[in-house]
Amino acid sequence: MSVNKEVKRITTNTLQKMKSNSEKISMITAYDFSFAKLFDEAGIDVILVGDSASNVMAGHETTLPITLDQMIYHAQSVLRGIHRCLVVVDLPFGTYQSNSDIALASAIRIMKETGAHAIKLEGGEEALESIKRIVNAGIPVMGHLGLTPQSIYKFGTYTVRAKEEEEANKLRKDALLLQEAGCFAMVLEKIPAQLAKEVSESLHIPTIGIGAGNDCDGQVLVMHDMMGINTEFKPRFLRQYLNLHEQITGAVQQYITDVKSGDFPNEHESY
């Protein structure tokens, strides 16, 4: 029996039960009311209001430029569209790295001003103080290890992380530290599948994979990638479920043709 179908609203506790029952968790990004409503009605477990909005909504090269105010705007829009799924909001770059006071204030703003259910932040041991402060304030925190896009200039590349044993061992250690600090779940991004399997089995909290193999407790994709809106980004881990770029382009071109030919609006579309 699906835990998902038993509950009226998905909570962090629901995700824990899903892991215990070996039921996979589905997670997708959303940034506005309309798509959030569609995803929620389709039965998605978790919506992530990702700082990937910096890329797919604002056109920036990285996730770094997006601000806390902009993240709050996107989250407010998403929350108006959902009734059942859990909504997690990314803390953007610069809102938690410097000290735990700023981290807590940032998380509180998101929770109070958006109605979100949890926040997500990147990093392992270096983020522990901020995570503990936020969790102790009663705010659920999702961690994020592996490829952490806010650190892209440190890495210098988007290639797979933790392939070498030293980095893999740090990730294993960080995962346990995040769990001990009170994280209710964590994203594992672009790491070897075997390592993701080991980490997932070592934790009692759920793991959500992106480019981390099939043994994580759930999976997440960016909506613009999996729906084929963004055609430039085609990593190995991405499965494209639609080609909206082609469909939307075709529809708009047909609209242009109909307007210019005088076919639209016709008699039945006029008053």
Side-chain angles (χ1 to χ4, degrees), residues 188-239:
L188 299 176
E189 180 167 358
K190 218 167 182 185
I191 65 172
Q194 182 57 38
L195 176 60
K197 182 176 189 291
E198 291 175 25
V199 171
S200 298
E201 290 175 350
S202 73
L203 301 174
H204 64 75
I205 63 173
T207 60
I208 309 293
I210 177 166
N214 194 39
D215 290 301
C216 294
D217 301 300
Q219 299 292 329
V220 60
L221 284 175
V222 172
M223 57 162 283
H224 290 71
D225 300 335
M226 63 89 73
M227 291 185 170
I229 299 171
N230 176 12
T231 58
E232 293 80 26
F233 186 64
K234 294 183 178 178
R236 179 175 176 176
F237 65 78
L238 174 63
R239 183 178 295 182

Side-chain angles (χ1 to χ4, degrees), residues 4 31 86 114 134 143 225 235 258:
N4 177 315
Y31 316 95
L86 183 80
T114 73
I134 296 168
D225 300 335
D258 292 349

Side-chain angles (χ1 to χ4, degrees), residues 35-53:
F35 275 110
K37 189 172 187 291
L38 285 170
F39 299 159
D40 188 60
E41 291 175 350
I44 202 75
D45 297 316
V46 185
I47 285 178
L48 171 65
V49 185
D51 59 2
S52 47

Side-chain angles (χ1 to χ4, degrees), residues 21 32 56 81 117 162 189 192 245:
N21 287 7
D32 66 16
V56 298
H117 310 127
E189 180 167 358
H245 182 274

